[in-house]
PDB file of all heavy atoms in Angstrom:
ATOM      1  N   ILE A  18      52.842  15.701 -10.408  1.00  0.00           N
ATOM      2  CA  ILE A  18      52.057  14.833  -9.546  1.00  0.00           C
ATOM      3  C   ILE A  18      51.751  15.525  -8.272  1.00  0.00           C
ATOM      4  O   ILE A  18      52.653  15.781  -7.408  1.00  0.00           O
ATOM      5  CB  ILE A  18      52.808  13.488  -9.283  1.00  0.00           C
ATOM      6  CG1 ILE A  18      53.167  12.808 -10.587  1.00  0.00           C
ATOM      7  CG2 ILE A  18      51.985  12.594  -8.389  1.00  0.00           C
ATOM      8  CD1 ILE A  18      54.007  11.496 -10.381  1.00  0.00           C
ATOM      9  N   TRP A  19      50.543  15.934  -8.105  1.00  0.00           N
ATOM     10  CA  TRP A  19      50.080  16.721  -6.952  1.00  0.00           C
ATOM     11  C   TRP A  19      49.670  15.774  -5.807  1.00  0.00           C
ATOM     12  O   TRP A  19      48.998  14.764  -6.035  1.00  0.00           O
ATOM     13  CB  TRP A  19      48.864  17.564  -7.259  1.00  0.00           C
ATOM     14  CG  TRP A  19      49.060  18.736  -8.215  1.00  0.00           C
ATOM     15  CD1 TRP A  19      48.852  18.767  -9.553  1.00  0.00           C
ATOM     16  CD2 TRP A  19      49.437  20.041  -7.811  1.00  0.00           C
ATOM     17  NE1 TRP A  19      49.096  20.002 -10.049  1.00  0.00           N
ATOM     18  CE2 TRP A  19      49.467  20.832  -9.001  1.00  0.00           C
ATOM     19  CE3 TRP A  19      49.799  20.660  -6.612  1.00  0.00           C
ATOM     20  CZ2 TRP A  19      49.813  22.201  -8.990  1.00  0.00           C
ATOM     21  CZ3 TRP A  19      50.122  21.999  -6.592  1.00  0.00           C
ATOM     22  CH2 TRP A  19      50.143  22.766  -7.805  1.00  0.00           C
ATOM     23  N   ASP A  20      49.977  16.161  -4.589  1.00  0.00           N
ATOM     24  CA  ASP A  20      49.326  15.660  -3.408  1.00  0.00           C
ATOM     25  C   ASP A  20      47.957  16.365  -3.301  1.00  0.00           C
ATOM     26  O   ASP A  20      47.780  17.437  -3.848  1.00  0.00           O
ATOM     27  CB  ASP A  20      50.188  15.956  -2.167  1.00  0.00           C
ATOM     28  CG  ASP A  20      49.461  15.587  -0.863  1.00  0.00           C
ATOM     29  OD1 ASP A  20      49.048  14.463  -0.742  1.00  0.00           O
ATOM     30  OD2 ASP A  20      49.282  16.500  -0.052  1.00  0.00           O
ATOM     31  N   TRP A  21      47.046  15.797  -2.554  1.00  0.00           N
ATOM     32  CA  TRP A  21      45.741  16.384  -2.428  1.00  0.00           C
ATOM     33  C   TRP A  21      45.495  17.010  -1.073  1.00  0.00           C
ATOM     34  O   TRP A  21      45.490  18.280  -0.951  1.00  0.00           O
ATOM     35  CB  TRP A  21      44.645  15.329  -2.702  1.00  0.00           C
ATOM     36  CG  TRP A  21      43.226  15.781  -2.479  1.00  0.00           C
ATOM     37  CD1 TRP A  21      42.325  15.269  -1.581  1.00  0.00           C
ATOM     38  CD2 TRP A  21      42.535  16.813  -3.164  1.00  0.00           C
ATOM     39  NE1 TRP A  21      41.114  15.939  -1.696  1.00  0.00           N
ATOM     40  CE2 TRP A  21      41.230  16.903  -2.635  1.00  0.00           C
ATOM     41  CE3 TRP A  21      42.900  17.707  -4.184  1.00  0.00           C
ATOM     42  CZ2 TRP A  21      40.296  17.781  -3.106  1.00  0.00           C
ATOM     43  CZ3 TRP A  21      41.929  18.598  -4.623  1.00  0.00           C
ATOM     44  CH2 TRP A  21      40.685  18.656  -4.095  1.00  0.00           C
ATOM     45  N   SER A 115      48.552  15.266 -12.543  1.00  0.00           N
ATOM     46  CA  SER A 115      47.838  14.149 -11.956  1.00  0.00           C
ATOM     47  C   SER A 115      47.860  14.374 -10.402  1.00  0.00           C
ATOM     48  O   SER A 115      48.558  15.227  -9.911  1.00  0.00           O
ATOM     49  CB  SER A 115      48.516  12.826 -12.282  1.00  0.00           C
ATOM     50  OG  SER A 115      48.405  12.534 -13.656  1.00  0.00           O
ATOM     51  N   ILE A 116      47.048  13.503  -9.742  1.00  0.00           N
ATOM     52  CA  ILE A 116      47.037  13.563  -8.258  1.00  0.00           C
ATOM     53  C   ILE A 116      47.360  12.191  -7.759  1.00  0.00           C
ATOM     54  O   ILE A 116      46.901  11.128  -8.247  1.00  0.00           O
ATOM     55  CB  ILE A 116      45.620  13.947  -7.766  1.00  0.00           C
ATOM     56  CG1 ILE A 116      45.300  15.418  -8.026  1.00  0.00           C
ATOM     57  CG2 ILE A 116      45.468  13.667  -6.245  1.00  0.00           C
ATOM     58  CD1 ILE A 116      43.952  15.861  -7.605  1.00  0.00           C
ATOM     59  N   LEU A 117      48.219  12.156  -6.695  1.00  0.00           N
ATOM     60  CA  LEU A 117      48.500  10.906  -5.932  1.00  0.00           C
ATOM     61  C   LEU A 117      48.181  11.222  -4.478  1.00  0.00           C
ATOM     62  O   LEU A 117      48.779  12.131  -3.854  1.00  0.00           O
ATOM     63  CB  LEU A 117      49.940  10.514  -6.111  1.00  0.00           C
ATOM     64  CG  LEU A 117      50.404   9.336  -5.249  1.00  0.00           C
ATOM     65  CD1 LEU A 117      49.673   8.048  -5.614  1.00  0.00           C
ATOM     66  CD2 LEU A 117      51.898   9.146  -5.270  1.00  0.00           C
ATOM     67  N   SER A 118      47.268  10.504  -3.902  1.00  0.00           N
ATOM     68  CA  SER A 118      46.812  10.794  -2.555  1.00  0.00           C
ATOM     69  C   SER A 118      46.656   9.515  -1.718  1.00  0.00           C
ATOM     70  O   SER A 118      46.401   8.445  -2.274  1.00  0.00           O
ATOM     71  CB  SER A 118      45.473  11.547  -2.564  1.00  0.00           C
ATOM     72  OG  SER A 118      44.937  11.729  -1.308  1.00  0.00           O
ATOM     73  N   ALA A 119      46.843   9.673  -0.387  1.00  0.00           N
ATOM     74  CA  ALA A 119      46.546   8.557   0.534  1.00  0.00           C
ATOM     75  C   ALA A 119      45.044   8.469   0.866  1.00  0.00           C
ATOM     76  O   ALA A 119      44.625   7.505   1.517  1.00  0.00           O
ATOM     77  CB  ALA A 119      47.351   8.727   1.853  1.00  0.00           C
ATOM     78  N   LEU A 125      38.322  10.658  -2.805  1.00  0.00           N
ATOM     79  CA  LEU A 125      39.117  11.537  -3.648  1.00  0.00           C
ATOM     80  C   LEU A 125      38.380  11.922  -4.906  1.00  0.00           C
ATOM     81  O   LEU A 125      38.392  13.094  -5.273  1.00  0.00           O
ATOM     82  CB  LEU A 125      40.479  10.848  -3.960  1.00  0.00           C
ATOM     83  CG  LEU A 125      41.453  11.617  -4.788  1.00  0.00           C
ATOM     84  CD1 LEU A 125      41.876  12.922  -4.084  1.00  0.00           C
ATOM     85  CD2 LEU A 125      42.677  10.763  -5.068  1.00  0.00           C
ATOM     86  N   ARG A 140      45.243  11.725 -14.464  1.00  0.00           N
ATOM     87  CA  ARG A 140      44.851  10.633 -13.585  1.00  0.00           C
ATOM     88  C   ARG A 140      44.682  11.118 -12.172  1.00  0.00           C
ATOM     89  O   ARG A 140      45.395  12.028 -11.722  1.00  0.00           O
ATOM     90  CB  ARG A 140      45.858   9.507 -13.603  1.00  0.00           C
ATOM     91  CG  ARG A 140      45.902   8.675 -14.877  1.00  0.00           C
ATOM     92  CD  ARG A 140      44.763   7.612 -14.871  1.00  0.00           C
ATOM     93  NE  ARG A 140      45.099   6.544 -13.979  1.00  0.00           N
ATOM     94  CZ  ARG A 140      44.561   6.270 -12.828  1.00  0.00           C
ATOM     95  NH1 ARG A 140      43.581   7.048 -12.310  1.00  0.00           N
ATOM     96  NH2 ARG A 140      44.949   5.213 -12.092  1.00  0.00           N
ATOM     97  N   ILE A 141      43.753  10.546 -11.454  1.00  0.00           N
ATOM     98  CA  ILE A 141      43.554  10.863 -10.023  1.00  0.00           C
ATOM     99  C   ILE A 141      43.631   9.529  -9.279  1.00  0.00           C
ATOM    100  O   ILE A 141      42.777   8.659  -9.423  1.00  0.00           O
ATOM    101  CB  ILE A 141      42.174  11.508  -9.838  1.00  0.00           C
ATOM    102  CG1 ILE A 141      42.128  12.863 -10.543  1.00  0.00           C
ATOM    103  CG2 ILE A 141      41.876  11.662  -8.329  1.00  0.00           C
ATOM    104  CD1 ILE A 141      40.740  13.541 -10.538  1.00  0.00           C
ATOM    105  N   CYS A 142      44.662   9.402  -8.505  1.00  0.00           N
ATOM    106  CA  CYS A 142      45.011   8.127  -7.854  1.00  0.00           C
ATOM    107  C   CYS A 142      44.947   8.216  -6.328  1.00  0.00           C
ATOM    108  O   CYS A 142      45.706   8.918  -5.719  1.00  0.00           O
ATOM    109  CB  CYS A 142      46.391   7.658  -8.331  1.00  0.00           C
ATOM    110  SG  CYS A 142      46.921   6.115  -7.541  1.00  0.00           S
ATOM    111  N   GLY A 143      44.002   7.471  -5.755  1.00  0.00           N
ATOM    112  CA  GLY A 143      43.881   7.391  -4.311  1.00  0.00           C
ATOM    113  C   GLY A 143      44.274   6.012  -3.791  1.00  0.00           C
ATOM    114  O   GLY A 143      44.868   5.221  -4.490  1.00  0.00           O
ATOM    115  N   LYS A 152      52.537   6.220   0.987  1.00  0.00           N
ATOM    116  CA  LYS A 152      52.129   6.201  -0.402  1.00  0.00           C
ATOM    117  C   LYS A 152      53.175   5.561  -1.356  1.00  0.00           C
ATOM    118  O   LYS A 152      52.999   5.563  -2.566  1.00  0.00           O
ATOM    119  CB  LYS A 152      51.874   7.633  -0.898  1.00  0.00           C
ATOM    120  CG  LYS A 152      50.709   8.321  -0.169  1.00  0.00           C
ATOM    121  CD  LYS A 152      50.349   9.600  -0.863  1.00  0.00           C
ATOM    122  CE  LYS A 152      51.369  10.726  -0.668  1.00  0.00           C
ATOM    123  NZ  LYS A 152      50.938  12.034  -1.127  1.00  0.00           N
ATOM    124  N   ARG A 155      52.105   2.479  -3.739  1.00  0.00           N
ATOM    125  CA  ARG A 155      51.193   2.963  -4.730  1.00  0.00           C
ATOM    126  C   ARG A 155      51.887   3.925  -5.734  1.00  0.00           C
ATOM    127  O   ARG A 155      51.568   3.946  -6.919  1.00  0.00           O
ATOM    128  CB  ARG A 155      49.961   3.610  -4.073  1.00  0.00           C
ATOM    129  CG  ARG A 155      48.840   3.954  -5.047  1.00  0.00           C
ATOM    130  CD  ARG A 155      48.215   2.714  -5.551  1.00  0.00           C
ATOM    131  NE  ARG A 155      47.194   2.916  -6.584  1.00  0.00           N
ATOM    132  CZ  ARG A 155      47.507   2.894  -7.913  1.00  0.00           C
ATOM    133  NH1 ARG A 155      48.742   2.569  -8.335  1.00  0.00           N
ATOM    134  NH2 ARG A 155      46.539   3.128  -8.787  1.00  0.00           N
ATOM    135  N   ALA A 156      52.809   4.746  -5.234  1.00  0.00           N
ATOM    136  CA  ALA A 156      53.476   5.703  -6.068  1.00  0.00           C
ATOM    137  C   ALA A 156      54.320   5.021  -7.152  1.00  0.00           C
ATOM    138  O   ALA A 156      54.368   5.477  -8.261  1.00  0.00           O
ATOM    139  CB  ALA A 156      54.362   6.579  -5.222  1.00  0.00           C
ATOM    140  N   ARG A 157      54.953   3.909  -6.795  1.00  0.00           N
ATOM    141  CA  ARG A 157      55.754   3.180  -7.771  1.00  0.00           C
ATOM    142  C   ARG A 157      54.858   2.659  -8.910  1.00  0.00           C
ATOM    143  O   ARG A 157      55.177   2.804 -10.090  1.00  0.00           O
ATOM    144  CB  ARG A 157      56.496   2.032  -7.119  1.00  0.00           C
ATOM    145  CG  ARG A 157      57.625   2.445  -6.237  1.00  0.00           C
ATOM    146  CD  ARG A 157      58.536   1.253  -5.900  1.00  0.00           C
ATOM    147  NE  ARG A 157      59.595   1.696  -5.026  1.00  0.00           N
ATOM    148  CZ  ARG A 157      59.667   1.421  -3.708  1.00  0.00           C
ATOM    149  NH1 ARG A 157      58.688   0.768  -3.134  1.00  0.00           N
ATOM    150  NH2 ARG A 157      60.706   1.823  -2.999  1.00  0.00           N
ATOM    151  N   PHE A 159      51.918   3.841  -9.728  1.00  0.00           N
ATOM    152  CA  PHE A 159      51.334   4.977 -10.440  1.00  0.00           C
ATOM    153  C   PHE A 159      52.329   5.603 -11.392  1.00  0.00           C
ATOM    154  O   PHE A 159      51.909   5.935 -12.517  1.00  0.00           O
ATOM    155  CB  PHE A 159      50.858   5.994  -9.368  1.00  0.00           C
ATOM    156  CG  PHE A 159      50.041   7.155  -9.934  1.00  0.00           C
ATOM    157  CD1 PHE A 159      48.948   6.915 -10.734  1.00  0.00           C
ATOM    158  CD2 PHE A 159      50.318   8.454  -9.574  1.00  0.00           C
ATOM    159  CE1 PHE A 159      48.183   7.940 -11.279  1.00  0.00           C
ATOM    160  CE2 PHE A 159      49.549   9.519 -10.069  1.00  0.00           C
ATOM    161  CZ  PHE A 159      48.495   9.251 -10.903  1.00  0.00           C
ATOM    162  N   MET A 174      56.987  15.933  -8.188  1.00  0.00           N
ATOM    163  CA  MET A 174      55.913  15.837  -7.175  1.00  0.00           C
ATOM    164  C   MET A 174      55.794  17.156  -6.427  1.00  0.00           C
ATOM    165  O   MET A 174      56.813  17.766  -6.084  1.00  0.00           O
ATOM    166  CB  MET A 174      56.207  14.732  -6.186  1.00  0.00           C
ATOM    167  CG  MET A 174      55.110  14.478  -5.179  1.00  0.00           C
ATOM    168  SD  MET A 174      55.367  12.917  -4.252  1.00  0.00           S
ATOM    169  CE  MET A 174      54.963  11.717  -5.560  1.00  0.00           C
ATOM    170  N   ASP A 181      55.805  13.428   1.344  1.00  0.00           N
ATOM    171  CA  ASP A 181      55.809  13.628  -0.110  1.00  0.00           C
ATOM    172  C   ASP A 181      57.249  13.576  -0.641  1.00  0.00           C
ATOM    173  O   ASP A 181      57.458  13.050  -1.717  1.00  0.00           O
ATOM    174  CB  ASP A 181      55.081  14.940  -0.466  1.00  0.00           C
ATOM    175  CG  ASP A 181      53.606  14.931  -0.160  1.00  0.00           C
ATOM    176  OD1 ASP A 181      52.958  13.981  -0.569  1.00  0.00           O
ATOM    177  OD2 ASP A 181      53.147  15.823   0.532  1.00  0.00           O
ATOM    178  N   VAL A 184      58.377   9.979  -0.591  1.00  0.00           N
ATOM    179  CA  VAL A 184      57.781   9.215  -1.720  1.00  0.00           C
ATOM    180  C   VAL A 184      58.527   9.554  -3.021  1.00  0.00           C
ATOM    181  O   VAL A 184      58.877   8.660  -3.769  1.00  0.00           O
ATOM    182  CB  VAL A 184      56.283   9.557  -1.847  1.00  0.00           C
ATOM    183  CG1 VAL A 184      55.711   8.994  -3.148  1.00  0.00           C
ATOM    184  CG2 VAL A 184      55.522   9.024  -0.670  1.00  0.00           C
ATOM    185  N   ILE A 188      60.776   6.974  -5.478  1.00  0.00           N
ATOM    186  CA  ILE A 188      60.442   6.584  -6.870  1.00  0.00           C
ATOM    187  C   ILE A 188      61.406   7.346  -7.861  1.00  0.00           C
ATOM    188  O   ILE A 188      61.224   7.210  -9.071  1.00  0.00           O
ATOM    189  CB  ILE A 188      58.994   6.869  -7.236  1.00  0.00           C
ATOM    190  CG1 ILE A 188      58.609   8.366  -7.049  1.00  0.00           C
ATOM    191  CG2 ILE A 188      58.083   5.973  -6.351  1.00  0.00           C
ATOM    192  CD1 ILE A 188      57.145   8.625  -7.438  1.00  0.00           C
TER     193      ILE A 188
END
Side-chain angles (χ1 to χ4, degrees):
I18 301 177
W19 290 95
D20 172 59
W21 175 240
S115 294
I116 290 177
L117 174 66
S118 174
L125 181 60
R140 286 280 285 109
I141 297 174
C142 178
K152 296 190 289 189
R155 189 68 187 96
R157 289 195 180 103
F159 189 48
M174 184 168 290
D181 293 308
V184 171
I188 63 176

